[in-house]
Amino acid sequence: LVWQSQGNYQDVWLDISDEGIARIAINRPEKRNAFRPRTVVELYDAFSRVRENPAIGVVLFTGVGPAADGGYAFCAGGDQSVRGDGGYLDEEGVPRLNVLDLQRLIRSIPKVVIALVAGYAIGGGQVLHLLCDLSLAAENAQFGQTGPRVGSFDAGFGCSHLARVVGQRKAREIWFLCRRYNAHQALAMGLVNEVVPLFQLQNEGVLWAREILQHSPTAIRCLKAAFNAETDGMAGLQELAGQATHLFYKTEEGKEGQQAFIEKRNPDFSQVPWL
Ligand code: 2NE
C-alpha cells in the first residue's frame, strides 16, 4: 500500500492510499492525542477532503503513537489544559470546540469509517471511536469515560448512541462509575468489532477496508444512511433521502424533468410506469 500525505496540518495526519483507503490520525502523542480546538478544525477539514474524494471508500481513523514515553492512545478526549471559562479555548482565547460537528461528519460521511484503537480511547476520544462505523482494538486498548470526574459530559451521541451499542445498563455503568475497560471487555460488550495484536492493527484495518471496497459503493452508502436514519430522526431520514435523490438523478425519468426545463417544454413522463 502506497500512502501519500495531504494537507498542511499541525495536529493531524491525512494520508491517501492508491487503493481507495484514507488514513486520518490525531498527531498529539505527547498529550495522548487529546484534542484542542485546532485539532478538531483540522480533523473536520481532513474528513471533508476525504468526503469530496470519489476515489476513497474507507477511512481508517487512528492516533499517532507511541509517544516518546512509549504510551499509546487513540484519543484521550478534550485537552484539559486549554479548558477555560465556557469551554475549550482556541488560539484566540474563544471557547470554540466544534467536536459535535465532527461527530456528525463522521456519521454522515458516505464512506465507511473504521476506528483503529491502540491504547487509550477516553472521554470525547471514546465518543469519536464510538461514532465510527466499525472499531478494531489493539490488545492494549483501554476505553472509558471520565466526564463526571473531570467536570464534563457528552449528553448527545456519547450517551444515546453508546446505550444503543452496549445497552442501557452498561452505558450507565460506563458514565456513572468512570471505570476503564480493556479490549476484551470492550469486545464482550459490543463496543468494538475485533481485538488484534498491536503490531497487526493497521494491517487488519487495511484487510477490512479491502473487503469492503470489493462491494457496491452505492449499497454501502445507502446502508450507512439507513443505519443512521433508524436512530437520527429527521437528520437521519434526510441523509437517506439524499441518497434516494442521488439515485433518482441518474434515471431517465429524473433526467427528462431537467432536460424539459432546459429546453423550455413540458416534461414527457408518459413512458414511466406507475409501479
Ligand atoms: C489517557 C490517560 C488515562 C493516560 O494515562 P497515562 O498514565 O498513560 O499518561 P499520562 O501521564 O496521564 O498522560 C501523558 C501526558 O498526556 C497528557 C498528560 O497531562 C500528560 O502530560 P504531561 O503531564 O506529561 O505533560 N494528557 C493526557 N490526557 C490529556 C487530556 N485529556 N488533556 C490534556 N492533557 C492530557 C490519562 O492521561 C487521562 O486520564 N487523561 C485524561 C482523560 C480525560 O479526562 N479526558 C477528558 C474527558 S472530557 C471530554 O473529553 C469531553 C467531553 O466529556 C465532552 C465534550 C468534549 C470533550
Side-chain angles (χ1 to χ4, degrees):
L1 204 66
V2 179
W3 295 103
Q4 196 198 3
S5 172
Q6 284 196 359
N8 189 21
Y9 303 124
Q10 208 171 305
D11 290 5
V12 164
W13 287 357
L14 168 61
D15 300 299
I16 305 290
S17 81
D18 54 345
E19 281 192 31
I21 307 171
R23 182 176 56 191
I24 297 177
I26 304 178
N27 181 29
R28 304 188 78 212
E30 75 291 350
K31 293 257 187 189
R32 298 289 185 261
N33 291 322
F35 53 74
R36 54 179 174 169
R38 172 190 281 274
T39 323
V40 175
V41 167
E42 293 184 357
L43 284 171
Y44 197 90
D45 189 80
F47 273 98
S48 302
R49 272 172 184 253
V50 167
R51 184 190 180 120
E52 298 307 322
N53 187 337
I56 300 297
V58 177
V59 187
L60 305 177
F61 184 25
T62 192
V64 173
D69 68 357
Y72 282 86
F74 172 78
C75 172
D79 185 334
Q80 299 307 297
S81 67
V82 301
R83 247 178 88 178
D85 203 19
Y88 297 81
L89 305 181
D90 68 8
E91 283 140 54
E92 293 164 9
V94 178
R96 208 183 261 141
L97 187 77
N98 298 329
V99 74
L100 303 184
D101 294 356
L102 175 64
Q103 292 179 357
R104 287 198 303 274
L105 179 57
I106 292 171
R107 266 179 90 70
S108 65
I109 186 172
K111 328 223 169 196
V112 178
V113 184
I114 307 179
L116 301 183
V117 182
Y120 294 103
I122 303 283
Q126 196 282 125
V127 179
L128 288 180
H129 121 90
L130 174 74
L131 291 173
C132 297
D133 298 294
L134 301 164
S135 175
L136 302 177
E139 292 276 2
N140 70 350
Q142 294 272 335
F143 301 85
Q145 282 305 332
T146 61
R149 198 163 54 224
V150 300
S152 181
F153 56 89
D154 181 333
F157 284 117
C159 283
S160 61
H161 193 59
L162 183 67
R164 285 191 168 105
V165 171
V166 304
Q168 282 282 347
R169 293 261 181 255
K170 206 69 193 174
R172 288 169 201 233
E173 174 191 313
I174 289 169
W175 274 104
F176 296 168
L177 278 73
C178 294
R179 287 182 183 166
R180 281 196 215 143
Y181 303 86
N182 66 32
H184 291 283
Q185 290 170 311
L187 182 65
M189 68 174 95
L191 194 57
V192 302
N193 295 87
E194 201 160 297
V195 179
V196 296
L198 175 60
F199 74 89
Q200 208 180 306
L201 184 62
Q202 178 165 308
N203 282 349
E204 193 67 23
V206 169
L207 290 178
W208 281 52
R210 283 181 177 148
E211 225 174 300
I212 293 164
L213 289 166
Q214 287 168 18
H215 299 144
S216 148
T218 305
I220 300 281
R221 222 173 44 230
C222 288
L223 284 167
K224 175 160 177 171
F227 281 117
N228 291 350
E230 196 246 329
T231 56
D232 291 4
M234 278 310 293
L237 285 174
Q238 182 200 39
E239 274 176 35
L240 188 58
Q243 299 302 333
T245 313
H246 173 73
L247 290 175
F248 182 52
Y249 284 161
K250 289 168 173 280
T251 64
E252 289 308 314
E253 183 182 0
K255 287 175 189 166
E256 166 60 11
Q258 182 224 7
Q259 204 55 36
F261 176 81
I262 298 294
E263 293 169 8
K264 299 190 186 302
R265 59 173 173 80
N266 286 330
D268 175 8
F269 295 122
S270 61
Q271 300 309 305
V272 183
W274 292 87
L275 295 176

